[in-house]
C-alpha cells in the first residue's frame, strides 16, 4: 500500500495568511492526488483532483501543485470558512489511501 | 442535485452483523463505481471497499476483507455494505461516496460523499 504523510498535523493561522500543507507519498503517484476539506460533523468535500485541478465551485484561493512523491495544497488568503481539517488521497493504486489530516485552526 | 443518503447505522454487539444502505439520486447510479469510506471517532479517513458500476468487481481493505461485503442494486439506486463479525475497531462513521469517473473501472477521487451513518460496536 502507498503511505501518504501530511505535514504539519496541525497549524494555527490568521485570516488573510497564506497556508501551505504538504503531502508526501511513499512512492511516485503521477499526480493521482486529491485534496478534501472536512468541517466538524460534516462529510469531506472535494477541493482539487489530479494534484492541481480545482473542483467546480471551489474558490480560486485554493491551489495545488507537485509531482512524483511530493504535493502541496496552498490557501492564498485564509478565510474564516477555511478553518477545517484537510486530507490528501492518492488514487494511483489500490487501495486508495489518505493522509492523516492537517487541522487548520484560528490563531 | 446529486445526493447520497446513508442509513442503517446503530449500536451493535461485537460479533454481530449490520447492513448499511446508501440511497443515490440526481445522477445515473448505474454508471458509477461506488465506495464506502469510514472514520473512527476523532481519527482520519479509511477507505473500506469499492464496487464497479456494474457490480462486476469489488475490492476491500485488508482490515475488513472476509467480514464485509459491498453490493448494489442498480434498479433501486442503492449501495449496501453488509458487515459481519463486527469488532470494536469497526466503530466509525461510514460514508458512501461516488467514484469520480463515469463508466470507468479505475478508482479515482471521491465526489460527492453522503452525510455518513454512525456504527458503534460495543457490548
Amino acid at each position: 500500500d502507498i503511505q501518504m504523510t501530511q505535514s504539519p498535523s496541525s497549524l494555527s493561522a490568521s485570516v488573510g495568511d497564506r497556508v501551505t500543507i504538504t503531502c508526501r507519498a511513499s512512492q511516485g503517484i503521477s499526480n493521482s492526488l486529491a485534496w478534501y476539506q472536512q468541517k466538524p460533523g460534516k462529510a469531506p468535500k472535494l477541493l482539487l483532483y489530479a494534484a492541481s485541478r480545482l473542483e467546480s465551485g471551489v474558490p480560486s484561493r485554493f491551489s495545488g501543485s507537485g509531482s512524483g512523491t511530493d504535493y502541496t495544497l496552498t490557501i492564498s488568503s485564509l478565510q474564516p470558512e477555511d478553518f477545517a481539517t484537510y486530507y490528501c488521497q492518492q488514487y494511483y493504486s489500490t487501495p486508495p489511501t489518505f493522509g492523516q489530516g492537517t487541522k487548520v485552526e484560528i490563531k | 442535485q446529486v445526493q447520497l443518503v446513508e442509513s442503517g447505522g446503530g449500536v451493535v454487539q461485537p460479533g454481530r452483523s449490520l447492513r448499511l444502505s446508501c440511497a443515490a439520486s440526481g445522477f445515473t447510479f448505474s454508471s458509477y463505481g461506488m465506495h464506502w469510506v469510514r472514520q473512527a471517532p476523532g481519527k482520519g479517513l479509511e477507505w473500506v471497499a469499492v464496487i464497479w458500476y456494474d457490480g462486476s468487481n469489488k475490492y476491500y481493505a485488508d482490515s475488513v476483507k472476509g467480514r464485509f461485503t459491498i453490493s448494489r442494486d442498480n434498479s433501486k439506486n442503492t449501495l449496501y455494505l453488509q458487515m459481519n463479525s463486527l469488532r470494536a475497531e469497526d466503530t466509525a462513521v461510514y460514508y458512501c461516496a461516488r467514484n469520480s469517473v463515469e463508466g470507468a473501472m479505475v478508482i479515482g477521487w471521491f465526489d460527492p460523499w453522503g452525510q455518513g451513518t454512525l456504527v458503534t460496536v460495543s457490548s
Side-chain angles (χ1 to χ4, degrees):
Chain A
D1 299 2
I2 296 177
Q3 306 302 316
M4 305 299 292
T5 302
Q6 282 182 239
S7 59
S9 295
S10 65
L11 64 91
S12 295
S14 301
V15 172
D17 284 353
R18 182 181 182 89
V19 169
T20 298
I21 297 168
T22 297
C23 184
R24 174 167 288 176
S26 59
Q27 65 183 76
I29 57 172
S30 298
N31 289 359
S32 299
L33 186 88
W35 289 98
Y36 302 89
Q37 176 192 68
Q38 187 179 33
K39 296 181 178 179
K42 301 294 187 181
K45 173 190 172 185
L46 177 69
L47 297 177
L48 298 107
Y49 59 94
S52 61
R53 297 193 174 188
L54 200 64
E55 171 70 352
S56 175
V58 173
S60 59
R61 63 181 179 273
F62 291 93
S63 64
S65 64
S67 63
T69 61
D70 295 328
Y71 299 85
T72 60
L73 170 69
T74 299
I75 309 172
S76 60
S77 178
L78 199 64
Q79 297 302 299
E81 60 268 30
D82 300 337
F83 292 95
T85 300
Y86 294 84
Y87 294 93
C88 61
Q89 175 234 332
Q90 68 80 20
Y91 50 91
Y92 180 76
S93 70
T94 301
T97 47
F98 294 89
Q100 81 278 14
T102 296
K103 187 174 184 178
V104 177
E105 299 176 299
I106 301 172
K107 180 182 282 186
Chain B
Q1 73 283 17
V2 176
Q3 192 171 14
L4 300 170
V5 179
E6 301 93 337
S7 61
V11 179
V12 61
Q13 293 179 328
R16 303 299 290 265
S17 300
L18 203 62
R19 188 177 84 156
L20 306 182
S21 299
C22 169
S25 59
F27 66 101
T28 305
F29 179 72
S30 59
S31 295
Y32 287 86
M34 296 294 297
H35 300 266
W36 287 100
V37 179
R38 68 184 180 182
Q39 186 170 37
K43 302 298 184 182
L45 301 167
E46 179 189 16
W47 174 79
V48 173
V50 63
I51 184 169
W52 284 163
Y53 63 90
D54 59 357
S56 60
N57 275 301
K58 308 170 186 180
Y59 297 96
Y60 299 91
D62 286 345
S63 57
V64 307
K65 201 174 295 181
R67 300 187 300 123
F68 289 11
T69 301
I70 189 171
S71 62
R72 64 191 297 158
D73 185 336
N74 285 346
S75 69
K76 296 182 178 179
N77 290 345
T78 303
L79 174 73
Y80 302 100
L81 185 68
Q82 177 68 42
M83 304 185 295
N84 297 333
S85 303
L86 282 161
R87 305 167 180 168
E89 54 265 36
D90 296 318
T91 294
V93 174
Y94 285 74
Y95 296 100
C96 63
R98 189 180 71 176
N99 197 44
S100 50
V101 182
E102 184 176 7
M105 290 192 174
V106 292
I107 292 177
W109 56 95
F110 308 147
D111 181 55
W113 300 56
Q115 87 288 350
T117 188
L118 176 62
V119 173
T120 302
V121 184
S122 174
S123 54

